[in-house]
Amino acid sequence: MIRQQKPSMTPLYKIVMIILCGVFLCPLAHAAKVSKKNAAPVVERLGAFGQWVVYQTQEQNAPLCFMRSQPQQHTKFKKKRGAVSLTIAMRPLENVMGEISYASGVTLRPGQPVSLTIDGAKNFRLFSTQWSAFAPDGRTDQYIVAAMKGGHQATIAAETATQQRIADQFSLAGVTAAWQIMQKACAIR
């Protein structure tokens, strides 16, 4: 199935934004008490495995789980770059079992593909949307996850809207353990 919904509107985008807010922008926000009517979803950290952290939340009374990592090495800019991460999500309610997404921290060049390479050998093309990139379909997501579980390093290369090249390197240490915890949390067998 080819993704037709704009990634900026996907539930994963909303959850990633909640995590980015909680981790980077407003770390004390989780302590605030709000009414159930206006409450944001509670995001629970399930643990860290190597360079990967697993989270779980609820979406329409169903589990939504994701694991994310920050780059070990990344391209720096004169101006401050936003949060950079690689995320894998599971949304059983929508039969999504490993959606790959990359948050670049900068505006990406429109229409330019983003390259994800595992151990310098396995190459995948992602499509970009403003500051994020996604695999084009669920089958590609599955291939990427399988390659990541057997790999050591993922490198993502892209071009910014100002035509600067960026390259971010992510350690894959802990991917398999994090994946197993995420599957268990989302009750996927």
Side-chain angles (χ1 to χ4, degrees):
M1 172 174 83
I2 295 177
R3 294 195 176 105
Q4 295 178 5
Q5 183 181 24
K6 283 188 175 180
S8 62
M9 299 300 173
T10 65
L12 175 62
Y13 173 82
K14 293 173 189 174
I15 296 302
V16 168
M17 292 311 298
I18 290 167
I19 290 298
L20 290 176
C21 177
V23 172
F24 298 105
L25 303 177
C26 47
L28 298 177
H30 70 281
K33 301 284 183 190
V34 292
S35 71
K36 289 275 187 191
K37 182 178 179 182
N38 296 327
V42 174
V43 179
E44 180 183 359
R45 180 182 163 145
L46 301 179
F49 306 89
Q51 298 299 315
W52 292 82
V53 180
V54 180
Y55 301 91
Q56 179 185 28
T57 189
Q58 293 288 311
E59 176 181 76
Q60 299 175 1
N61 295 321
L64 183 152
C65 305
F66 58 99
M67 53 193 264
R68 97 184 220 324
S69 182
Q70 295 177 321
Q72 298 302 107
Q73 296 180 5
H74 65 278
T75 303
K76 293 181 172 50
F77 292 94
K78 289 180 183 177
K79 292 183 179 181
K80 186 175 180 179
R81 187 173 176 190
V84 180
S85 65
L86 182 58
T87 303
I88 304 172
M90 290 183 177
R91 294 190 311 276
L93 186 65
E94 297 175 35
N95 204 29
V96 173
M97 304 305 171
E99 181 181 62
I100 303 292
S101 67
Y102 163 68
S104 67
V106 293
T107 303
L108 297 173
R109 186 171 178 195
Q112 285 294 108
V114 173
S115 131
L116 186 153
T117 305
I118 308 296
D119 294 336
K122 297 177 184 171
N123 299 303
F124 302 94
R125 290 184 85 162
L126 308 178
F127 70 90
S128 62
T129 64
Q130 202 167 24
W131 57 269
S132 298
F134 298 85
D137 53 50
R139 183 177 302 219
T140 305
D141 282 328
Q142 290 175 355
Y143 291 140
I144 293 171
V145 169
M148 290 173 71
K149 290 196 290 188
H152 300 287
Q153 181 178 322
T155 302
I156 297 183
E159 192 172 310
T160 69
T162 59
Q163 298 184 350
Q164 292 178 285
R165 296 293 302 160
I166 57 174
D168 298 318
Q169 295 178 351
F170 297 84
S171 170
L172 299 178
V175 164
T176 300
W179 178 264
Q180 290 168 346
I181 295 300
M182 190 167 66
Q183 281 185 308
K184 185 177 179 181
C186 272
I188 298 169
R189 306 229 185 295

